[in-house]
Amino acid sequence: MASENTQEPKCLQCGFEAPRGNDWGAADHPTLGSMTQCPECGSTDVSSRL
């Protein structure tokens, strides 16, 4: 029985979903480092729970 190992990231602000690497951007934060950024609204409030 195979299980799905990944889930598409979802923006918690606007609901945008897409596979990793396609449209997602990155934002650099001075103390947190690189963060995934939504291409639709620019939010970094993104979830990709397994």
Side-chain angles (χ1 to χ4, degrees), residues 9-36:
K10 178 178 183 177
C11 177
L12 300 177
Q13 294 296 312
C14 72
F16 177 82
E17 290 184 65
R20 286 192 192 280
N22 282 354
D23 294 324
W24 295 96
D28 289 322
H29 187 277
T31 56
L32 299 175
S34 182
M35 302 173 70
T36 302

